Amino acid sequence: EILMSLFFLLAFLSYATHIPNARRRSGKDKHNKQSSSILTTIRNGLFIYIVPWFFMICSVFSKEQGATTLITLVVYDFLNNIGSIQLFFQRLKTMDRETLNFVLRTVILAIETLAVVAFRMWLNGETKPDFIVDQNPAGFAEDRFTRMFSVCWVHCLYIVDMIFPKYLCPDWSGTSIPLIESLTDERSVGPLLLWYSTGWCCKSLLGGAKDGASKTRKEARRILLIAFFAFLVSPFLLSSNLIVVVGLMKGDRVIYLPLLGFCLMEALAFKLVFCVEQTQTKVEEKGKGKGSTATSKGFGKIYWLGHLLLMIQLVLFSYKTHERNLAWSHSVRLWSSAYEINPHSEHTMYN
């Protein structure tokens, strides 16, 4: 997981810092006018196509989840430089040069992804993994309603782990997580809320920002969609039981990389709630005449309250990290702590 995430991030840094639109926004490409167009093309081709592809290969051979590396790059590129599907087709009709360059980058990265995945499948052979129902009761449930709600309930549990990582266990197979078999189950509210939130993000992705929206709202929308689609959904797809059924119902390790998207969302929420500038007006008296007024901008008390809450979170998460490091330092400690949290797992009891 750590190696896969490392190569994933290296591929992203190489791509994000060299795509032309992003570099034009940050003003880093002014020197391109003075440099040779041939050298610029070679450099961009190297850091946009070759270097990310190399790190994607390293990521895939660390763990299969790394196959979504270049997909994440395309999603990030789209949301950062275009923003909505509606705007994309509007620009495509006018043969916008930047949009056509994006299409070209997408096609090349798609070919690279398919080549690596095909090579990995060829190495694995034609045999499929032999999963059993007890490993993933939700994914293998025969009833469609039960499968749909139970799988999405597991996704809700992942979100809870991101916010409050108290119950962490290496195995959740068997009857560890009861299935949702009817709407009368109070847990069915979780998947419904999850679908509503996902639907809102998809609607925003389709139509774009509302007309007349402020610059702050547009920027918040852009960051939110990048965090959700590029860094939360994309790396999680292969482990979500939505595309293919995998051999685990819930595994805390599979959200290691998608946590990046959640961290971006938290940073955005922190900025919107606690980093709001406040205008202060001061009146200065001058003798017997009228006083003059002076205005200044700064952060209020809520700004420091946000930092205090953030520091408390970092301390608690650091303690939890230390606790998990101790648990993973020895197999007896790991499975003893796992049994305390989840005594229903047969795999845990055997270990």
Side-chain angles (χ1 to χ4, degrees), residues 200-218:
W200 183 91
C201 291
C202 292
K203 179 183 177 181
S204 181
L205 175 65
L206 180 64
K210 293 183 179 180
D211 296 335
S214 63
K215 184 179 179 181
T216 302
R217 289 182 65 89
K218 290 181 179 180

Side-chain angles (χ1 to χ4, degrees), residues 5-185:
S5 301
L6 172 63
F7 293 131
F8 179 98
L9 293 176
L10 289 174
F12 170 75
L13 290 175
S14 175
Y15 185 85
T17 54
H18 288 86
I19 49 177
N21 291 354
R23 299 181 68 218
R24 189 176 300 118
R25 281 181 180 173
S26 58
K28 294 180 181 179
D29 65 340
K30 294 181 180 179
H31 67 281
N32 285 349
K33 297 179 180 180
Q34 302 175 356
S35 61
S36 171
S37 59
I38 298 178
L39 293 178
T40 302
T41 302
I42 294 175
R43 181 184 58 198
N44 289 343
L46 177 65
F47 289 100
I48 293 176
Y49 302 114
I50 306 302
V51 174
W53 192 30
F54 170 76
F55 285 129
M56 182 256 192
I57 295 173
C58 296
S59 183
V60 168
F61 282 94
S62 300
K63 192 181 178 184
E64 291 84 352
Q65 198 174 351
T68 60
T69 300
L70 301 187
I71 298 175
T72 297
L73 301 187
V74 171
V75 175
Y76 167 80
D77 193 355
F78 178 84
L79 293 171
N80 193 48
N81 297 315
I82 299 178
S84 70
I85 297 176
Q86 181 180 1
L87 182 59
F88 170 73
F89 284 109
Q90 290 176 356
R91 291 183 178 181
L92 203 59
K93 288 181 180 179
T94 60
M95 303 299 289
D96 179 69
R97 182 179 178 182
E98 293 182 356
T99 304
L100 293 177
N101 289 336
F102 164 76
V103 173
L104 177 62
R105 291 194 296 270
T106 301
V107 171
I108 295 176
L109 294 179
I111 294 174
E112 292 178 343
T113 299
L114 292 175
V116 175
V117 171
F119 180 65
R120 180 60 190 262
M121 292 179 65
W122 176 76
L123 288 179
N124 288 349
E126 298 181 0
T127 58
K128 296 182 179 179
D130 187 15
F131 297 139
I132 59 176
V133 176
D134 287 341
Q135 288 179 290
N136 188 0
F140 287 102
E142 296 182 358
D143 183 69
R144 183 175 299 176
F145 175 90
T146 301
R147 183 171 63 254
M148 182 172 57
F149 271 79
S150 299
V151 167
C152 290
W153 171 246
V154 173
H155 298 167
C156 295
L157 295 180
Y158 281 132
I159 296 175
V160 174
D161 289 339
M162 293 179 183
I163 300 173
F164 187 61
K166 181 178 181 181
Y167 301 105
L168 300 179
C169 178
D171 184 76
W172 294 89
S173 59
T175 59
S176 302
I177 303 175
L179 303 181
I180 298 178
E181 298 179 346
S182 67
L183 279 175
T184 57
D185 193 322

